Amino acid sequence: MAADSGNLYQKLYTPLHPDLGTGPVSVEPYISAEYFEREQRRIFDNAWMLACAESEIPQPGSYLVKEVPLVNSSVIFARGADGVVRGFRNVCRHRGNQLFYNECRGKARGFTCKFHGWHFALDGKLRGVTEADRFFDLDKPGLGLTPVMVDTWNGLVFINRGVGTVQPLREYLGSLVDGLEQYPFKQMGLAAEWKVDVKANWKVMIDAFQEGYHVGLVHRNTVQGLFTGPKRPTCRLSHFRLHGPHRAVTTPKNPDFKPSTTEALAFQLAGAGLSQEAGELHGSSGLQWSGLNPGGETDFGFDINIVFPATFIDTSFGWFFTYEFWPQAVDRTFWVAKLFVVPPKTWAQRIGLEMTIIQLREALYEDLTTLEATQKGLSSGAMDTIMLSDQELALRHQHAVVEKMVRGA
Amino acid sequence: MSTRHELKLPADFTDLADIGIEWSLPTEKERQDRRATASMPELRRYYDRLQPRMTAIAAHLDQFEYGLDQLPAAERHLLQLAYMYLESAMAVEFYRRPEPPDNFPRSRFIIDDIRI
């Protein structure tokens, strides 16, 4: 066994953060409706949350429309003629009809309501009103689409409910993203998008994705060979990095991974896959993969970067995936998972990419099997506390940050 | 003379038309659902027929410029058969059955089909 692997299994991370303690953690934040309301006021009223990537709306006129529970509204994200990314409520200022009835993507010169033809520019300004002279004192400049607070950092678009004092986005992200300023988010494209309305608290959901303790068992039918093996019997996340309310950690991979017949075929076609480092596909792109593996993990899989409260940006060579956890009720969260990759240049690469898409998707199904059952169990009153091991340090940190903000301590 | 609708495939792959007619599906969701509801013998048959052709399929498609709207209909069907092979591999190589037991309901998992 390599010395590094041995050190990994002797090292404990929790003692490095004595303020987080080692004791049981209260169940109340996961199940109390009153606690949920206080989180909304004290956290979500002015938190920045990931909405999409700039590469999804790459050109002037590009837009995408999605439901954003944070602002209780469907939102149009549009890149203006001036290149600026803006967000607007998907609501016509005439009589409140929606400009778009469904989530969608496209490119346009402006937005026209299908009820009476009111037309809005890409920057939200009201440009056209059918039979405007039949209105009384129509304040056109004041009737632009209602903006929502949107900002971008290095190719990622964030949204804020904007209640009270809002920290500028870059300041909010702080040291969490210092190392990722050159990571090429902008040059990577959306490969897959999956959405689920889950009957679980947002923190129950996040807990399941910020530890590797579950991997060998929950993912035993899919990706457990990628992350566990003789040198790594469990997938322990390593090099926990706390950045104020945010946190980051590294997922190691199994150095003895043996691909199945089809995995090997897909790697050969794509030049890369879930477990591969930069291969032909990514190496040929000329992109620099800076900011990865700041802890120097021997067998690097991917980094998990969590922007408080509820955004995951998981980065690796040639691919990253994001999770958006949108709280809807104490026991309900709308989850959006997206995979981004260096765009394929050949059909062989695209076929290989499909295997990565399928495997990631199937692994997410496996994660989903535990969430609602956990919420039910916690809500039943069976226990007042949960137990957290050293490798569940991220859960302890999240609990502490949320408690501090909710209690106003 | 057959009145059955024939699957259009490139000349080098017409041998797959008989099995392809049931498995050429245009979206990820349809392919996922087809795999989850098929029988294991069906999936095994599909997997065994497609596996030896996968490299040739990729080589054939690589003659066409990459782009989601660049492929003629015959090549598009061939691509869909290749994607379906990968889906079938989840059943044959990993689950050893069409679908894991007690899986999260497929109907609640929304799959967007807009991508690069």
Side-chain angles (χ1 to χ4, degrees):
Chain A
M1 182 168 11
D4 279 352
S5 300
N7 286 343
L8 176 70
Y9 279 92
Q10 281 147 28
K11 185 187 175 108
L12 293 178
Y13 291 99
T14 309
L16 301 174
H17 306 279
D19 51 314
L20 294 180
T22 55
V25 161
S26 168
V27 163
E28 190 203 349
Y30 297 105
I31 64 172
S32 158
E34 195 253 335
Y35 195 98
F36 179 85
E37 286 309 313
R38 288 162 73 188
E39 285 173 343
Q40 288 298 310
R41 298 289 75 76
R42 293 181 178 232
I43 297 173
F44 291 92
D45 266 356
N46 58 7
W48 287 100
M49 295 181 66
L50 180 69
C52 67
E54 285 202 65
S55 64
E56 298 182 71
I57 40 175
Q59 291 151 6
S62 297
Y63 66 88
L64 73 82
V65 182
K66 70 182 256 174
E67 292 295 331
V68 181
L70 185 72
V71 295
N72 197 33
S73 170
S74 170
V75 173
I76 304 169
F77 296 89
R79 190 179 294 275
D82 56 0
V84 173
V85 172
R86 296 179 180 85
F88 307 102
R89 291 187 190 272
N90 174 20
V91 181
C92 179
R93 293 296 305 279
H94 174 212
R95 281 164 51 191
N97 190 31
Q98 289 194 261
L99 296 161
F100 295 93
Y101 299 135
N102 298 299
E103 295 197 329
C104 59
R105 297 157 190 275
K107 198 153 179 258
R109 291 204 190 89
F111 311 112
T112 305
C113 183
K114 294 180 190 64
F115 204 172
H116 309 93
W118 279 37
H119 181 78
F120 300 86
L122 294 169
D123 63 1
K125 290 193 175 67
L126 177 59
R127 286 285 179 237
V129 172
T130 314
E131 295 187 356
D133 60 335
R134 306 300 277 181
F135 280 85
F136 311 97
D137 308 313
L138 195 70
D139 170 30
K140 271 180 86 173
L143 288 170
L145 294 177
T146 307
V148 293
M149 187 180 285
V150 156
D151 202 354
T152 64
W153 168 77
N154 193 16
L156 299 175
V157 181
F158 290 79
I159 188 167
N160 196 303
R161 192 183 280 163
V163 174
T165 312
V166 175
Q167 229 183 343
L169 176 63
R170 182 57 186 92
E171 199 184 297
Y172 181 92
L173 296 171
S175 56
L176 175 74
V177 302
D178 283 350
L180 290 169
E181 289 282 9
Q182 303 302 319
Y183 185 90
F185 295 110
K186 289 181 183 154
Q187 281 79 34
M188 296 160 80
L190 182 69
E193 178 172 5
W194 303 298
K195 299 178 283 203
V196 189
D197 191 341
V198 184
K199 299 186 192 80
N201 182 269
W202 64 280
K203 300 183 296 299
V204 165
M205 291 201 68
I206 288 178
D207 282 352
F209 291 102
Q210 58 181 356
E211 46 87 355
Y213 189 26
H214 69 279
V215 168
L217 196 53
V218 170
H219 299 305
R220 67 191 176 284
N221 289 322
T222 59
V223 297
Q224 59 102 357
L226 285 167
F227 299 108
T228 62
K231 292 196 184 72
R232 292 185 181 271
T234 68
C235 176
R236 282 201 208 175
L237 306 188
S238 64
H239 305 103
F240 288 88
R241 310 178 280 278
L242 304 183
H243 296 272
H246 313 301
R247 71 202 76 98
V249 68
T250 295
T251 305
K253 67 180 182 193
N254 172 22
D256 299 314
F257 168 65
K258 295 197 179 10
S260 73
T261 303
T262 303
E263 280 175 315
L265 171 66
F267 294 154
Q268 185 203 319
L269 292 175
L274 267 183
S275 82
Q276 296 293 87
E277 293 198 8
E280 205 39 55
L281 169 65
H282 312 308
S284 65
S285 69
L287 297 174
Q288 296 302 312
W289 302 104
S290 60
L292 295 175
N293 194 14
E297 175 59 67
T298 322
D299 306 304
F300 173 71
F302 60 94
D303 287 323
I304 298 172
N305 301 290
I306 301 173
V307 178
F308 186 79
T311 293
F312 278 46
I313 304 164
D314 289 9
T315 48
S316 192
F317 293 96
W319 55 274
F320 72 96
F321 59 90
T322 67
Y323 297 147
E324 303 160 21
F325 299 95
W326 303 99
Q328 303 206 89
V330 65
D331 56 359
R332 195 160 156 239
T333 304
F334 191 69
W335 181 45
V336 179
K338 293 160 123 168
L339 171 67
F340 295 84
V341 298
V342 173
K345 294 189 186 65
T346 69
W347 284 111
Q349 289 171 354
R350 181 56 186 83
I351 293 169
L353 170 61
E354 188 74 3
M355 189 62 179
T356 299
I357 291 170
I358 292 169
Q359 287 192 299
L360 179 57
R361 183 196 77 214
E362 292 298 297
L364 297 184
Y365 269 99
E366 290 173 319
D367 287 310
L368 283 162
T369 59
T370 67
L371 303 175
E372 296 184 342
T374 300
Q375 186 69 32
K376 270 184 81 172
L378 293 174
S379 302
S380 72
M383 54 218 249
D384 295 324
T385 55
I386 61 174
M387 306 302 297
L388 297 178
S389 71
D390 183 68
Q391 60 181 311
E392 292 162 308
L393 181 62
L395 287 67
R396 210 179 272 290
H397 177 248
Q398 173 171 268
H399 178 85
V401 173
V402 171
E403 272 283 275
K404 191 164 169 214
M405 293 182 75
V406 165
R407 307 277 181 214
Chain B
M1 184 177 73
S2 170
T3 55
R4 197 169 64 95
H5 173 67
E6 290 260 310
L7 183 72
K8 187 161 194 260
L9 288 170
D12 289 345
F13 301 93
T14 52
D15 60 299
L16 296 174
D18 63 318
I19 195 166
I21 190 97
E22 293 163 40
W23 296 91
S24 175
L25 297 163
T27 68
E28 180 189 338
K29 171 141 180 73
E30 287 171 278
R31 292 188 291 267
Q32 171 203 254
D33 290 350
R34 181 78 172 91
R35 186 261 301 155
T37 55
S39 73
M40 205 54 199
E42 282 188 281
L43 285 163
R44 185 81 224 197
R45 211 159 32 238
Y46 185 79
Y47 173 90
D48 287 343
R49 283 285 298 275
L50 265 289
Q51 189 178 91
R53 310 302 303 283
M54 284 296 289
T55 310
I57 289 174
H60 175 85
L61 291 173
D62 270 352
Q63 296 172 82
F64 296 80
E65 195 182 321
Y66 179 73
L68 291 180
D69 54 358
Q70 294 292 334
L71 292 181
E75 273 70 22
R76 213 168 355 93
H77 285 296
L78 191 64
L79 176 69
Q80 287 167 189
L81 295 183
Y83 288 165
M84 190 67 222
Y85 164 77
L86 301 175
E87 194 67 62
S88 75
M90 285 310 298
V92 172
E93 292 176 4
F94 293 89
Y95 297 142
R96 313 282 178 196
R97 56 208 296 175
E99 174 73 345
D102 302 319
N103 201 12
F104 188 81
R106 299 268 176 199
S107 57
R108 291 180 57 195
F109 192 101
I110 301 165
I111 298 175
D112 267 8
D113 221 43
I114 302 156
R115 67 256 327 251
I116 53 169

